[in-house]
Amino acid sequence: MTENSQAQPASNPELPTQYAPAEVEGKLYERWVERGYFEADEKSDKQPYTIVIPPPNVTGSLHLGHAFEHTIIDALTRRKRMQGYETLWQPGMDHAGIATQNVVERELAKDGKSRQDLGREAFVERVWQWKEESGGQISGQMRRLGDGVAWSRERFTMDEGLSKAVQTIFKKLYDDELIYRAERIINWCPRCLTAISDIEVEYQDDDGELVSLKYGEGDETVVVATTRVETMLGDTAVAVHPDDARYAHLIGKQIKLPLTNRSIPVVADEHVDPEFGTGAVKVTPAHDPNDFAIGQRHGLETLTIMDERAVITAPGPFEGLDRFEARSAIVEAMRADGRVVAEKRPYVHSVGHCSRCKTTIEPRLSLQWWVKVGPLAQAAGDAVRDGRVTIHPKEMEPRYFGWVDNLNDWCISRQLWWGHRIPVWHGPNGESVCVGPDDEAPTGEGWYQDTDVLDTWFSSGLWPFSTLGWPEQTPSLEKFYPNSVLVTGYDILFFWVARMMMFGLYAMDGTPPFHTIALHGMVRDQFGKKMSKSFGNAVNPLDWMDKYGSDAVRFTLARGANPGVDVPIGEDWVQGSRNFANKIWNATRFAMMNGATVEGDLPPVAEQSATDRWILSRLNATVAEVDAFYDDYQFAKLSDALFHFAWDEVFDWYVELSKTTFFAGGEQAKVSGRVLGEVLDVTLRLLHPVVPFVTETLWTTLTGKESVVIADWPVDSGFRDEAAEREIGNLQQVVTEVRRFRADQGLQQGQKVPARLDLSGTELAAHEPAIRQVLRLQPEGEGFHATATLPVAGATVALDLSGTIDVEAERKRLTKDLGNAEKEKAQATAKLANEAFMAKAPDNVVDKIRGRLTKAEADIARLTAQIAGLPES
């Protein structure tokens, strides 16, 4: 499994009696960085392994979801580094257009200023200043967590190189007629004063009102229903289905629009559902996407009746009112005019809100820049369908296809000042010129650059290749593109993943940006509730790191990481992981004090005891198991496997069973000491990617080598010893049964009890000293009187509990338990013999009943033997 012949262990390894994470974590991390362990060399002939960090917003700090994601990525890259790959974990941050602009605007507001007071150039300078002052917070938190990123390669989506990439791909798309400018209905935030994309709209059920209004007069009357009464000021038609006989006489006619001096036509359109409501709908082309489409089909006028702040601009009594004020006022006016037919209040319906500021979105006709996503989305879907890209878990594929196969054109322009400005110049005669990074912008009177900036996701969609130097054909790009895997949450599958797929395939000649998309869930509290400041259950991961250590936080998060599934986490679980770190520390410290060593080759199998062979067999099986789980991104399972192997098999069984050997000294102690050193060496290396700090301290002390970060990843040697595993399995049965019996009697854990062990005819005779040591069993002396006899695994353990237990009370207890076991057996037997039940019962129910029968029969045999072993009263 490892070549330890070159190890130079400390002659007298010493460790503090207790593990103090705060005293070692920061120092270890800085040493790793100083020694360049996390840097990547594009000149290396090693096979590359590349992961980009999902760039956190420069505005914020790392929350528990970031800590979870970073733990997974760090574990993957640490393992690959140990396996000999040239590993690059690419760090960086996103400029986060809307969020960052909002933060700086709030800072200005404290001084009574707005961005308009500063002007565009000065405001952007202020944002850069804020970024320099605040951007280091995330880097510090990443260091605390132990992120093994290549810090020398850190990028920012607004830095010079990435800005060049943005300008290059914009011009390429523009020249290929995949970017265009057009008036369309967009999602408008009246608070942020910008367009936002569909995926930045959060829908929630709000209490509103559904009002039915009467349009027209006399025989030319039609009733329409709406939740946005104020938009009626911009109606330019009423639409009905062409086959709806109720309105056939109205199609093509003009009817009066209330509260205005206008008449509007009734048009026939198949979009209208005649079964819904009255079968007639009001059409406001400038303020509703479906109405806009109807207006396009019928050549209707588009009337914008609100400004950018959602204030009514239509001439008349409602001009100057906020949209919600106008809603109430118009209802009152329509009611006074006898035109309110029905009102339903409250009317719960789904309403879109800005994901940044939670303001209700206003659909609005606006001149914007768009990406024609059809061919790009087709390529993104095909890359998964033909196997070039694998989505893990596979169950997430339908969600991906459901999105990319139905993408609308993407609105990429934002009415902000912070971000990548649209690289298009407009001329005095309406002409436009797209300018690439090496082009000269047009000059002269009347020429100006477009005032909009690009959607943040436009630049972050280039992240896998722009961070490597594209559009230049750099050695880094050649070495590290495509990425090996993308690790990200399923919640941004549409926001970010689809964008990267489209741009990567387009810019890199059909080569997708990554081979695998590994999707994880969201971190939730221990009750499964979403973490949020408003819920009062949000956790700052630094608080838990300060209290329990970074390893404890990392291990807790990894142990909950099932692919594509949300992760519940509570503080008591972190405390349990802290206990695990302490267990690793204490057990390793004890082992090194009692002869564990990595010096020299592993002794030949013939010189090893059955206990030695058992633990080496289990060690190799664990290496194979952990490797399989890593390759399947099963972090919860691999963490659980490591936990139980380290705590249960190594520390609770092998170390305990070997104590008698170590205490006796001699050649066998040297053999077991070398075996224990081997087991610790491999176990610490297996644990390192998930719990890097405690393993670094222990492994370097044990081996005397430079760092476990650059150690070889363990390899399964193929050694298995089924006979030793059966032998120690029987030994464990004996120990477990006697321990259970002792606990039933209320005996203290360390209380010594005289015992006679009959191990004849079994393989356990050689283990008698270890069994006695582990179970605190004294040799039988004069006057030994067996008060209880336990037959287990072919052996018999007779205990003298004279004066310790009430024999008659014990007989009654065992007899009662035997009765319950016999009752359980009878019930299970009856059910399994019932043909009607067996014909209807599901397989899993039948299997459960068979399991109950098997257990009951085993309990009956055990209890009968225990009762027979009790002395006569």
Side-chain angles (χ1 to χ4, degrees):
M1 275 170 290
T2 179
E3 295 179 2
N4 275 317
S5 58
Q6 300 302 313
Q8 299 295 324
S11 55
N12 293 297
E14 292 185 2
L15 290 166
T17 55
Q18 292 183 324
Y19 178 50
E23 296 178 10
V24 300
E25 290 180 348
K27 295 176 183 177
L28 285 181
Y29 188 83
E30 290 309 313
R31 188 168 71 195
W32 293 335
V33 172
E34 288 169 5
R35 293 180 178 179
Y37 293 155
F38 305 141
E39 295 302 324
D41 182 5
E42 60 264 17
K43 297 178 182 178
S44 167
D45 58 2
K46 296 179 181 178
Q47 186 175 345
Y49 185 81
T50 314
I51 295 182
V52 295
I53 192 173
N57 289 353
V58 71
T59 53
S61 59
L62 295 187
H63 52 64
L64 208 54
H66 288 121
F68 168 59
E69 185 169 78
H70 287 205
T71 295
I72 292 175
I73 298 175
D74 195 43
L76 286 172
T77 53
R78 284 179 183 269
R79 172 177 175 254
K80 286 296 183 181
R81 188 178 294 112
M82 295 172 75
Q83 286 182 317
Y85 287 77
E86 191 61 39
T87 303
L88 169 61
W89 182 9
Q90 173 67 55
M93 285 181 284
D94 194 290
H95 68 279
I98 295 177
T100 304
Q101 180 158 316
N102 283 348
V103 168
V104 178
E105 285 194 87
R106 284 196 295 269
E107 291 296 313
L108 287 174
K110 294 177 183 178
D111 298 327
K113 295 181 180 180
S114 68
R115 60 179 163 123
Q116 285 77 14
D117 293 331
L118 271 66
R120 183 167 192 148
E121 187 175 336
F123 176 77
V124 171
E125 287 180 7
R126 176 66 70 90
V127 180
W128 274 108
Q129 179 185 344
W130 178 89
K131 184 262 181 186
E132 295 305 316
E133 294 171 353
S134 305
Q137 183 178 2
I138 291 174
S139 297
Q141 292 170 321
M142 290 170 62
R143 291 169 184 268
R144 282 290 311 277
L145 189 63
D147 287 1
V149 300
W151 285 112
S152 69
R153 294 172 175 264
E154 187 174 12
R155 303 304 298 268
F156 179 56
T157 50
M158 287 279 287
D159 69 28
E160 184 178 352
L162 270 64
S163 294
K164 181 177 181 180
V166 167
Q167 200 172 351
T168 299
I169 201 164
F170 186 99
K171 180 167 176 56
K172 180 175 170 59
L173 289 162
Y174 184 91
D175 291 345
D176 288 344
E177 298 184 348
L178 292 173
I179 281 182
Y180 63 94
R181 198 181 191 207
E183 271 198 324
R184 298 278 184 84
I185 294 289
I186 46 89
N187 305 298
W188 182 266
C189 176
R191 159 62 185 80
C192 298
L193 300 181
T194 182
I196 62 174
S197 65
D198 293 342
I199 52 179
E200 292 170 304
V201 179
E202 292 179 348
Y203 287 90
Q204 66 183 48
D205 288 339
D206 287 356
D207 286 343
E209 57 184 347
L210 181 66
V211 184
S212 297
L213 304 172
K214 182 170 65 175
Y215 286 12
E217 301 288 352
D219 292 338
E220 296 181 352
T221 296
V222 64
V223 175
V224 298
T226 180
T227 58
R228 300 166 65 217
V229 175
E230 67 280 6
T231 62
M232 61 86 58
L233 298 175
D235 286 356
T236 56
V238 168
V240 298
H241 194 275
D243 298 331
D244 194 333
R246 292 173 294 176
Y247 303 111
H249 67 290
L250 290 178
I251 296 174
K253 292 186 176 181
Q254 297 279 325
I255 62 173
K256 181 181 178 182
L257 179 65
L259 305 182
T260 70
N261 293 318
R262 294 189 292 115
S263 292
I264 58 176
V266 176
V267 299
D269 196 282
E270 293 188 352
H271 169 76
V272 179
D273 181 0
E275 303 299 322
F276 182 77
T278 64
V281 297
K282 58 189 288 298
V283 181
T284 321
H287 292 276
D288 183 273
N290 293 322
D291 292 3
F292 178 76
I294 293 175
Q296 292 288 98
R297 287 193 289 272
H298 297 276
L300 299 177
E301 184 182 4
T302 57
L303 297 178
T304 299
I305 52 101
M306 292 183 214
D307 68 11
E308 60 184 8
R309 298 184 185 276
V311 172
I312 301 298
T313 57
F318 310 107
E319 186 175 2
L321 294 180
D322 170 80
R323 55 183 165 166
F324 299 122
E325 295 172 337
R327 182 176 299 174
S328 300
I330 292 172
V331 170
E332 288 301 318
M334 294 285 276
R335 187 181 292 114
D337 200 25
R339 291 188 175 276
V340 175
V341 177
E343 295 178 77
K344 186 174 182 181
R345 189 186 295 114
Y347 178 72
V348 178
H349 62 131
S350 182
V351 177
H353 296 260
C354 173
S355 62
R356 299 294 181 187
C357 69
K358 313 308 176 187
T359 300
T360 300
I361 289 301
E362 190 62 43
R364 186 170 189 256
L365 184 63
S366 181
L367 181 63
Q368 301 286 343
W369 289 94
W370 304 81
V371 171
K372 187 184 295 182
V373 299
L376 303 175
Q378 176 71 44
D382 290 345
V384 174
R385 288 189 175 92
D386 63 25
R388 282 175 289 158
V389 178
T390 300
I391 293 180
H392 188 89
K394 192 173 178 62
E395 294 76 38
M396 288 287 177
E397 276 189 9
R399 294 184 64 174
Y400 176 79
F401 292 133
W403 181 257
V404 299
D405 292 347
N406 296 285
L407 269 179
N408 296 317
D409 284 0
W410 172 19
C411 177
I412 56 171
S413 45
R414 299 291 180 267
Q415 288 64 55
L416 303 171
W417 287 356
W418 172 245
H420 294 101
R421 198 162 170 182
I422 301 284
V424 173
W425 269 252
H426 303 291
N429 299 314
E431 63 269 55
S432 296
V433 174
C434 182
V435 177
D438 299 321
D439 300 334
E440 289 290 332
T443 57
E445 186 176 351
W447 283 94
Y448 67 96
Q449 186 176 359
D450 197 287
T451 57
D452 289 350
V453 301
L454 287 164
D455 177 11
T456 296
W457 298 104
F458 190 96
S459 53
S460 60
L462 314 180
W463 193 247
F465 52 93
S466 63
T467 52
L468 297 173
W470 188 91
E472 306 301 327
Q473 296 303 306
T474 65
S476 288
L477 187 65
E478 183 178 352
K479 178 74 174 180
F480 296 112
Y481 187 91
N483 292 187
S484 305
V485 61
L486 172 74
V487 177
T488 192
Y490 64 72
D491 55 318
I492 59 171
L493 179 63
F494 316 132
F495 285 81
W496 190 43
V497 178
R499 297 335 190 202
M500 287 190 289
M501 286 286 284
M502 290 191 296
F503 282 166
L505 289 159
Y506 173 74
M508 300 301 292
D509 300 322
T511 302
F514 19 74
H515 298 302
T516 301
I517 302 169
L519 298 171
H520 60 73
M522 298 172 63
V523 176
R524 297 182 178 271
D525 69 14
Q526 65 263 44
F527 306 109
K529 190 174 182 179
K530 181 180 178 180
M531 285 191 172
S532 167
K533 290 181 180 178
S534 60
F535 296 153
N537 63 351
V539 174
N540 182 344
L542 290 181
D543 293 340
W544 281 353
M545 289 183 214
D546 289 341
K547 194 171 183 180
Y548 303 108
S550 297
D551 283 334
V553 174
R554 290 171 61 113
F555 192 74
T556 304
L557 291 165
R559 207 171 178 193
N562 289 295
V565 179
D566 289 344
V567 183
I569 185 172
E571 185 169 358
D572 54 336
W573 304 343
V574 185
Q575 186 173 352
S577 295
R578 188 270 313 273
N579 295 343
F580 178 51
N582 288 342
K583 180 76 170 182
I584 299 170
W585 182 273
N586 294 332
T588 304
R589 182 174 180 273
F590 171 85
M592 287 192 285
M593 291 173 60
N594 288 273
T597 179
V598 295
E599 199 166 1
D601 294 332
L602 200 62
V605 173
E607 296 178 12
Q608 298 171 17
S609 67
T611 311
D612 295 334
R613 298 194 304 276
W614 163 74
I615 196 62
L616 290 174
S617 180
R618 290 294 307 128
L619 179 66
N620 277 281
T622 301
V623 170
E625 185 178 34
V626 169
D627 272 335
F629 286 143
Y630 261 114
D631 292 341
D632 200 33
Y633 303 98
Q634 297 280 359
F635 285 88
K637 291 181 178 179
L638 75 87
S639 299
D640 213 46
L642 286 169
F643 175 87
H644 288 295
F645 175 71
W647 191 309
D648 299 345
E649 297 186 278
V650 178
F651 302 141
D652 278 0
W653 282 108
Y654 183 73
V655 171
E656 287 299 315
L657 292 174
S658 300
K659 281 182 179 179
T660 53
T661 301
F662 292 137
F663 295 160
E667 288 303 313
Q668 191 56 52
K670 293 180 181 178
V671 170
S672 293
R674 180 64 190 86
V675 169
L676 180 53
E678 178 79 2
V679 171
L680 290 175
D681 169 23
V682 174
T683 302
L684 291 171
R685 283 187 283 143
L686 287 174
L687 284 165
H688 173 71
V690 181
V691 284
F693 294 107
V694 66
T695 51
E696 171 79 343
T697 305
L698 294 174
W699 189 85
T700 53
T701 305
L702 171 70
T703 66
K705 291 185 177 181
E706 181 180 336
S707 175
V708 70
V709 177
I710 54 173
D712 291 338
W713 180 252
V715 177
D716 175 15
S717 70
F719 175 76
R720 301 290 191 277
D721 193 323
E722 294 180 4
E725 292 199 34
R726 280 195 305 272
E727 185 173 330
I728 302 304
N730 288 334
L731 184 155
Q732 290 171 324
Q733 285 187 49
V734 171
V735 171
T736 300
E737 182 61 27
V738 175
R739 278 178 173 165
R740 190 201 65 79
F741 180 79
R742 286 176 58 113
D744 287 345
Q745 307 311 310
L747 297 179
Q748 295 297 318
Q749 190 172 1
Q751 186 173 348
K752 294 183 178 181
V753 177
R756 176 189 300 135
L757 273 61
D758 182 2
L759 306 175
S760 57
T762 73
E763 300 169 313
L764 302 181
H767 299 286
E768 181 168 343
I771 294 173
R772 288 186 176 275
Q773 166 71 27
V774 170
L775 290 171
R776 306 295 189 268
L777 301 179
Q778 293 178 319
E780 56 185 293
E782 290 187 20
F784 176 84
H785 178 61
T787 58
T789 304
L790 306 176
V792 56
T796 302
V797 180
L799 304 173
D800 184 354
L801 303 178
S802 302
T804 304
I805 65 167
D806 182 333
V807 174
E808 202 52 43
E810 178 63 10
R811 192 187 307 278
K812 288 181 179 179
R813 186 187 71 79
L814 292 172
T815 301
K816 180 181 178 181
D817 289 349
L818 178 61
N820 290 334
E822 289 173 336
K823 182 178 179 181
E824 176 73 3
K825 177 184 176 182
Q827 290 175 343
T829 301
K831 281 192 174 184
L832 293 173
N834 185 327
E835 293 182 3
F837 171 80
M838 293 294 286
K840 296 179 180 179
D843 290 345
N844 64 319
V845 173
V846 173
D847 290 343
K848 187 174 181 180
I849 294 172
R850 285 175 176 151
R852 284 168 48 193
L853 176 61
T854 300
K855 183 178 183 302
E857 289 173 341
D859 287 343
I860 290 169
R862 174 177 56 80
L863 293 165
T864 300
Q866 286 182 275
I867 292 171
L870 290 173
E872 294 298 326
S873 56

